[in-house]
Structures are given as structure tokens and as C-alpha cells.
């Protein structure tokens, strides 16, 4: 079994290498497309939440309960998708979940009550959770087959898709109703799935992928504990993402007297920095290795969040948010990749579920701590967890797939 902390060079030539390389390139392109589609569709839904709230007449509390449908559907399905991938393969499950997500995104705009909205969001969340586990499992196999740490590139595609989806949604919000916009997203999602899906369906997961599950090995107790560790790393970093999304702008406006427009820049800078970090992630991993990338990323994110939370001026806080985005960029992809290399789709499912749980935990935890102390102090918990991710990453530096 390969040492998970080692970064190997691309596979050298050999019998069949010339025909294998184009196949892997096509697979990599198709998987990248599905990551981008996932981010695009999810962001398209998020920007229409205010209009859906108005359409359903839901109060803030009712809307919050309805939105839990996405979380509940995602978490439950993430656990089950690992089993589906082991039985049917990650490629068919990715295609099926992409089609389901494209169909489900049109449903919220057809609801007229919070109860109905929550019900359809269960289906949307199930598709969202399923595709995240399945496409990450497919990406883990490709990373092993290519023998290059390309996982951050897939997650960069998700980030870029999300930025594009949010931008398009903002542009059409004034001219298209939620129903028309989300129905257009359904058509677009099904079209992309129809174009990219056959590539995945024609090509099974690379047989020479050097991950443990590809060779029929089942994780033992220690391997499962290591998967749990990488899941905790994912949780620590996703906690920061959730906190930034819901509380970053409020901190700038409330604590530093930033204008609303300036406050909105905070999360944009964070997201842009994270995308840039992921685009350069493969190069970083090849030069530093996985452990150093985890440690450097967690340490950088902790320093950035301390600056963002405690800085006395808006511009220093914005700089801190950008530094934090760079630090967090590659931690989640590396954690999921290592969990997948240890335990296959089940490892991806476990790490993704814990990570998603961290994203859900962050906003309410920050709110509770803010009531107890203050928002700047509450945001420093992001720095604490980021530093914790760095420590766990360093502690797992000798992990191998063969334990």
C-alpha cells in the first residue's frame, strides 16, 4: 500500500500507457465538470433563497427549519452513498446524483409553504450529499491512477462553479422569477450531465488505482480511526467556512463600522483567495507533500483568522480574511483524499459527513459564543480549530494505507 504522505510523480510509460493516458485525461475532465456543476447549481439555489422566502411567506424561523431539509438530506445520504459507490461504482452514482440534483433544484420555486419547501429540500439535499461523496470517490481513484496530487484542482472547479453560479444568479435575479431561473438551471444541469456523463459511464474507475479499496482491502480498526482523524480535520476547516459565510460581513459592519458594500467584500475576498489557493494546490502538494501542506495551511488560516477577528481596522480584517482563505484552501481536499485512500468511498463518506457537520456547526456555535462574549472573540474559535487541524495533520504524518 502506498504511503499516503508521499507525493509521487506521474506514471511513467509502459505497456498500454499511451492508450491509458488519454482515457485518464478524459476522466479527469469529466470529473472536473461535475465538481463545477455541483458548485454552480448549489450557488444558483442559494442566491434565490430570499425570493423563495417571500414566495412561501415563511418567517425567518420557519425558513431556518425548512433549510435544515438540505442538511438533513445531505448528511443521511452521504452515509449511504459510500455503500452505493462500493456496489455500483462511483461513476454511475455521480451521474445519477447529478441528474437528480438538476431535477430537484426546480422544486423549491414550486412551493408555497415552509413545510412544502422543507420537504422538497430533503430531496435536493440528498442529491447534493450524494454527488459530493460519489464525485470525491471518483476523484480519489483518479489521484491514485495519475500519481499526482490533483485533488485541489477538482475542488477549485467547485469553487469556480459556485462563484459563477452566484454571479449569474445575481445578474438574472431582477429579470427572472425564481421558477424560471431554477427551471433554467434544471435544463442546464441535465444538459451538462448528458454531455459529461457518458464519459464516466463508458470508463469505470481506473483498475490500476493504487488505493486500498481498489485492491479489495477492507480497513481495519486503526485505518478507521485514521479516517476519523481526517474527518475531524475536514470538520475543523469547514467550521471556518460556515462561520465566514454567515458572520464575516456582520463582523465588519457591526464591529468595525464598515459600509454594507465594503462588508460584503469580506466573504468575496475569502472565496477568491480559497479558489486561488486550490488552483495552485497541486503544485504546492508536489513541492511540500501532504503533511506540510496541512500544517502550513492550518497555521496560515489560524493566523489569518486572528487578524480578521481582532484587527482594529476594516482593511486589516479584510487582509486577514484573504489569508485565511489561502490557508484553508487545500486542507479539506487533502483530508478527503487521504480518507478515501484509506477506506475508499466509505472513507470519503465519513470525512465528507464530518466536514459538512462542521459547516453546519460553525454558524450557530459562533452565534451562541457571541451572546456569551462578543463576535470578535467568537470568531477566534475558527483560528483555534484551524490550528487544531494543523496539529492533527502533523500527528498523522506517518499514516499509511497498509495499517
Amino acid at each position: 500500500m502506498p504511503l499516503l504522505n508521499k507525493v509521487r510523480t506521474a506514471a511513467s510509460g509502459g505497456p498500454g500507457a499511451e492508450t491509458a493516458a488519454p482515457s485518464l485525461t478524459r476522466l479527469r475532465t469529466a470529473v472536473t465538470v461535475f465538481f463545477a456543476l455541483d458548485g454552480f447549481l448549489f450557488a444558483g439555489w442559494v442566491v434565490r433563497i430570499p425570493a423563495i422566502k417571500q414566495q412561501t411567506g415563511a418567517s425567518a424561523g420557519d425558513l431556518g427549519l425548512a433549510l435544515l431539509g438540505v442538511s438533513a438530506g445531505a448528511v443521511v445520504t452521504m452515509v449511504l452513498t459510500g455503500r452505493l459507490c462500493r456496489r455500483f461504482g462511483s461513476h454511475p452514482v455521480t451521474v445519477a446524483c447529478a441528474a437528480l440534483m438538476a431535477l430537484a433544484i426546480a422544486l423549491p420555486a414550486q412551493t408555497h409553504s415552509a413545510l412544502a419547501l422543507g420537504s422538497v429540500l430533503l430531496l435536493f439535499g440528498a442529491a447534493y450529499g450524494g454527488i459530493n461523496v460519489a464525485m470525491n470517490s471518483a476523484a480519489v481513484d483518479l489521484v491514485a491512477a495519475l500519481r499526482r496530487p490533483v485533488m485541489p484542482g477538482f475542488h477549485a472547479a467547485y469553487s469556480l462553479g459556485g462563484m459563477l453560479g452566484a454571479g449569474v444568479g445575481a445578474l438574472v435575479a431582477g429579470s427572472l422569477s425564481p421558477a424560471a431561473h431554477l427551471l433554467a438551471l434544471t435544463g442546464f444541469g441535465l444538459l451538462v450531465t448528458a454531455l459529461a456523463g457518458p464519459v464516466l459511464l463508458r470508463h469505470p474507475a481506473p483498475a490500476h488505482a493504487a488505493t486500498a479499496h481498489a485492491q479489495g482491502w477492507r480497513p481495519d480498526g486503526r485505518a478507521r480511526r485514521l479516517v476519523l482523524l481526517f474527518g475531524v480535520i475536514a470538520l475543523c476547516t469547514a467550521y471556518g467556512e460556515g462561520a465566514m459565510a454567515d458572520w464575516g460581513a456582520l463582523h465588519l459592519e457591526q464591529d468595525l463600522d464598515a459600509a454594507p458594500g465594503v462588508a460584503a467584500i469580506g466573504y468575496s475576498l475569502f472565496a477568491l483567495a480559497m479558489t486561488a489557493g486550490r488552483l495552485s494546490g497541486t503544485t504546492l502538494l508536489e513541492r511540500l507533500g501532504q503533511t506540510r501542506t496541512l500544517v502550513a495551511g492550518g497555521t496560515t488560516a489560524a493566523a489569518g483568522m486572528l487578524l480578521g477577528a481582532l484587527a482594529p481596522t476594516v482593511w486589516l480584517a479584510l487582509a486577514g480574511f484573504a489569508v485565511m482563505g489561502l490557508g484553508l484552501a487545500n486542507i479539506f481536499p487533502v483530508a478527503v483524499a487521504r480518507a478515501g485512500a484509506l477506506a475508499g468511498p466509505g472513507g470519503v463518506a465519513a470525512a465528507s459527513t464530518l466536514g459538512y457537520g462542521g459547516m453546519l456547526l460553525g454558524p450557530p456555535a459562533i452565534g451562541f459564543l457571541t451572546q456569551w462574549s462578543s463576535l470578535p472573540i467568537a470568531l477566534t474559535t475558527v483560528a483555534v480549530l484551524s490550528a487544531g487541524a494543523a496539529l492533527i495533520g502533523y500527528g498523522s504524518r506517518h499514516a499509511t494505507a497498509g495499517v
Side-chain angles (χ1 to χ4, degrees), residues 83-232:
R83 299 177 185 176
L84 291 176
C85 289
R86 285 194 296 270
R87 181 170 182 179
F88 301 107
S90 58
H91 292 183
V93 177
T94 297
V95 175
C97 289
L100 180 60
M101 186 176 179
L103 292 170
I105 200 173
L107 298 179
Q110 308 304 318
T111 62
H112 297 282
S113 70
L115 179 61
L117 178 61
S119 299
V120 300
L121 288 180
L122 280 170
L123 180 62
F124 180 70
Y128 179 71
I131 191 174
N132 273 276
V133 171
M135 68 186 182
N136 271 292
S137 297
V140 166
D141 288 332
L142 269 173
V143 168
L146 292 167
R147 299 184 180 182
R148 291 191 66 211
V150 296
M151 188 64 128
F154 296 121
H155 286 260
Y158 175 87
S159 298
L160 288 170
M163 291 171 63
L164 183 60
V168 171
L171 287 175
V172 304
S175 56
L176 285 181
S177 67
H181 179 203
L182 297 184
L183 188 60
L185 290 180
T186 291
F188 178 78
L190 291 176
L191 176 62
V192 172
T193 301
L195 293 175
V199 178
L200 293 188
L201 296 177
R202 283 196 303 266
H203 300 282
H208 57 289
T211 53
H213 68 283
Q215 301 179 9
W217 179 81
R218 298 188 66 82
D220 60 16
R222 187 179 179 193
R224 285 192 290 270
R225 288 192 293 273
L226 287 170
V227 167
L228 179 61
L229 281 180
F230 298 134
V232 171

Side-chain angles (χ1 to χ4, degrees), residues 284-357:
L284 189 69
L285 283 165
E286 287 176 332
R287 292 185 178 180
L288 298 181
Q290 292 180 336
T291 294
R292 289 188 212 174
T293 299
L294 286 176
V295 173
T299 304
T300 300
M305 192 66 251
L306 284 176
L307 178 61
L310 304 178
T313 67
V314 171
W315 300 111
L316 278 177
L318 289 174
F321 290 168
V323 171
M324 180 191 169
L326 285 173
L328 290 185
N330 296 304
I331 301 179
F332 190 95
V334 170
V336 169
R338 295 185 75 173
L342 276 165
V348 173
S352 298
T353 303
L354 282 168
Y356 196 77

